């Protein structure tokens, strides 16, 4: 028998959806009804950082539209093969803040736990595409050391699950990790940075809601949604379950050329996020990561966009336009560098 969700939609487990994800350009073009021959000269087969797109996400790509803003986030363009001066492999020097395997401690009061090295989806603009995940594998020994690190620094009040995507891990593992962290007195808040509930909404399982509600930590989730079309009814249901279970929902987007770098797209995104119970948090300027320059937006255009958003939206729906610099004590608001 085919399992059904309450809404009657056929439900495949999130693990199956992960395993079934499309992993090459030809399949991606075929699944989105695009003619491979017609776009041949604009695309490439990635030499590293493979294609990965699960079907629940593919469903939201408009068939036959090679400029679809969701497709553009996951399709490998010829420009990826170019080397652009000024773009680096680790522009944020995260490997310097990688204080212990599995931990990035850059900002005061909050540490980032690298839980897992894979994602449900491979976004071509990803700033961690070159991160040395093989040195951050969360073996039991590393995990013990990471916990000790958090225990010893009483200034840490927030732990951030990151990755990769932390929600590719099993709920059993996440529940156990969360339990151990919640036993540390000075840690008050848990934040989860994930694209999973949007990419594969079935990921919001009863087990997930179970450990999220059982913990005494205050939980927030920062979703990574770049375009309003990423929100469909199944995603809406998954997000509603999180909201109903007292998870504060925030969103961060990346300003991406050809995806969302115009005011109409960003206004619609903010309004749609709010309709789904999500507050816009950050709009990131692209990090200068090698092989991603074709998604970048000039600073001047970013400024103009921000002014337009301020003029068209209530203040709480305008995300903070920021970028990241090495060795700073916070993300840098664009307004400080006029
Ligand atoms: C972005 C980021 C955080 C969180 O910063 P907030 O401003 O609190 O959202 C923490 N650690 C690292 C390494 C980060 O890049
Ligand atoms: S989900 Fe985030 S970390 Fe994973 S590939 Fe996309 S941008 Fe990178």
């Amino acid at each position: 028998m085919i399992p059904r969700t309450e809404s009657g939609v056929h439900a495949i487990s999130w693990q199956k959806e992960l395993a079934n994800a499309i992993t090459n350009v030809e399949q991606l073009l075929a699944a989105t009804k695009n003619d491979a021959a017609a776009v041949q000269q604009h695309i490439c087969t990635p030499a590293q950082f493979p294609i990965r797109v699960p079907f629940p996400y593919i469903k939201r790509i408009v068939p036959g539209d090679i400029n679809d803003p969701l497709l553009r986030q996951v399709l490998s363009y010829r420009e990826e093969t170019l080397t652009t001066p000024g773009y680096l492999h680790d522009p944020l020097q995260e490997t310097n803040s990688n204080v212990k395997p599995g931990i990035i401690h850059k900002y005061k009061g909050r540490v980032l736990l690298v839980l897992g090295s894979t994602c449900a989806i491979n976004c071509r603009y990803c700033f961690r595409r070159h991160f040395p995940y093989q040195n951050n594998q969360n073996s039991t020994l590393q995990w013990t050391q990471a916990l000790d690190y958090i225990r010893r620094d009483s200034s840490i009040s927030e732990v951030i699950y990151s990755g990769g995507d932390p929600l590719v891990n099993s709920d059993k593992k996440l529940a156990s990790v969360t339990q151990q962290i919640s036993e540390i007195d000075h840690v008050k808040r848990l934040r989860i940075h994930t694209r999973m509930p949007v990419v594969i909404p079935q990921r919001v399982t009863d087990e997930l809601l179970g450990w999220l509600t059982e913990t005494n930590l205050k939980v927030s989730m920062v979703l990574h949604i770049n375009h309003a079309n990423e929100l469909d009814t199944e995603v809406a249901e998954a997000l509603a379950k999180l909201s109903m279970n007292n998870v504060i929902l925030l969103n961060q987007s990346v300003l991406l050329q050809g995806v969302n770098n115009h005011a109409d797209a960003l206004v619609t995104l903010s309004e749609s996020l709010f309709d789904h119970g999500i507050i816009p948090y950050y709009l990131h300027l692209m990090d200068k990561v090698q092989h991603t320059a074709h998604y970048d937006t000039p600073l001047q255009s970013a400024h103009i966009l921000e002014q337009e958003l301020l003029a068209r939206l209530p203040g709480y729906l305008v995300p903070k336009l920021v970028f990241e610099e090495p060795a700073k004590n916070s993300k840098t608001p664009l307004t400080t560098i006029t």
Side-chain angles (χ1 to χ4, degrees), residues 214-234:
E214 273 156 27
T215 181
N216 55 356
L217 299 165
K218 290 278 179 218
V219 186
S220 63
M221 196 175 269
V222 181
L223 300 154
H224 299 195
I225 302 166
N226 296 314
H227 194 279
N229 292 1
E230 288 174 56
L231 295 155
D232 69 1
T233 22
E234 279 137 54

Side-chain angles (χ1 to χ4, degrees), residues 11-314:
I12 306 178
S13 73
W14 63 271
Q15 292 93 340
K16 267 242 167 69
E17 290 292 7
L18 264 186
N20 288 347
I22 277 181
T23 52
N24 69 56
V25 179
E26 293 72 27
Q27 285 173 344
L28 179 58
L29 290 171
T32 56
K33 308 258 182 304
N34 281 294
D35 179 5
V39 295
Q40 197 69 40
Q41 72 214 47
H42 303 295
I43 59 173
C44 73
T45 296
Q48 28 150 308
F49 195 58
I51 299 279
R52 177 194 270 279
V53 196
F55 278 96
Y57 192 84
I58 294 213
K59 256 188 11 196
R60 292 167 238 156
I61 295 174
V62 177
D65 181 3
I66 195 68
N67 296 316
D68 179 274
L70 276 56
L71 180 60
R72 180 153 169 89
Q73 295 179 50
V74 292
L75 182 60
S76 47
Y77 294 87
R78 201 40 75 87
E79 289 99 320
E80 266 190 36
T81 60
L82 306 178
T83 302
T84 316
Y87 286 73
L88 309 168
H89 279 79
D90 180 18
L92 309 180
Q93 294 167 24
E94 275 197 332
T95 40
N96 292 351
S97 313
N98 200 189
V99 289
K100 285 262 182 257
I103 284 205
I104 301 177
H105 194 182
K106 186 174 172 190
Y107 300 143
K108 190 167 164 48
R110 51 240 199 257
V111 288
L112 207 142
L113 273 187
V114 181
L115 285 182
S117 55
T118 55
C119 288
I121 192 165
N122 283 352
C123 315
R124 304 316 302 170
Y125 51 84
C126 183
F127 70 111
R128 294 234 172 89
R129 58 188 286 151
H130 307 291
F131 189 76
Y133 284 117
Q134 62 280 10
N135 304 333
N136 290 269
Q137 291 288 344
N138 303 122
S139 67
T140 308
L141 175 65
Q142 286 185 358
W143 178 239
T144 309
Q145 289 177 347
L147 270 177
D148 276 348
Y149 180 88
I150 300 172
R151 235 178 247 126
R152 271 195 228 114
D153 184 346
S154 62
S155 74
I156 297 170
S157 55
E158 179 166 5
V159 172
I160 303 174
Y161 292 174
S162 179
D165 196 313
L167 294 188
V168 299
N169 290 290
S170 71
D171 286 311
K172 189 159 171 271
K173 173 169 176 185
L174 291 165
S176 146
V177 168
T178 306
Q179 173 60 34
Q180 292 175 75
I181 289 169
S182 70
E183 283 164 10
I184 305 172
D185 266 355
H186 51 262
V187 179
K188 307 292 181 203
R189 295 182 304 278
L190 169 66
R191 190 193 323 177
I192 303 166
H193 275 251
T194 176
R195 209 152 145 63
M196 261 287 206
V198 171
V199 174
I200 305 179
Q202 295 97 305
R203 181 61 188 87
V204 181
T205 56
D206 291 345
E207 291 74 26
L208 174 75
L209 297 170
W211 64 263
L212 284 177
T213 43
E214 273 156 27
T215 181
N216 55 356
L217 299 165
K218 290 278 179 218
V219 186
S220 63
M221 196 175 269
V222 181
L223 300 154
H224 299 195
I225 302 166
N226 296 314
H227 194 279
N229 292 1
E230 288 174 56
L231 295 155
D232 69 1
T233 22
E234 279 137 54
V235 176
E237 279 175 28
L239 296 172
K241 284 185 200 166
L242 290 165
S243 291
M244 281 187 297
N245 285 282
N246 300 322
V247 177
I248 306 282
L249 299 178
L250 303 169
N251 185 63
Q252 66 171 29
S253 312
V254 184
L255 189 59
L256 297 168
Q257 193 195 112
V259 175
N260 60 12
N261 67 339
H262 43 101
D264 287 345
L266 291 171
V267 167
T268 308
L269 173 60
S270 271
E271 289 178 335
S272 183
L273 288 171
F274 187 73
D275 288 345
H276 289 80
I278 310 166
I279 298 292
Y281 180 35
Y282 281 139
L283 176 60
H284 287 267
L285 283 186
M286 287 257 322
D287 300 314
K288 304 278 180 215
V289 179
Q290 195 53 271
H291 308 308
T292 66
H294 51 299
Y295 288 106
D296 212 353
T297 300
L299 222 54
Q300 190 54 32
S301 327
H303 259 304
I304 294 169
L305 273 173
E306 193 185 29
Q307 292 308 311
E308 245 185 290
L309 294 189
L310 285 166
R312 288 173 61 178
L313 286 167

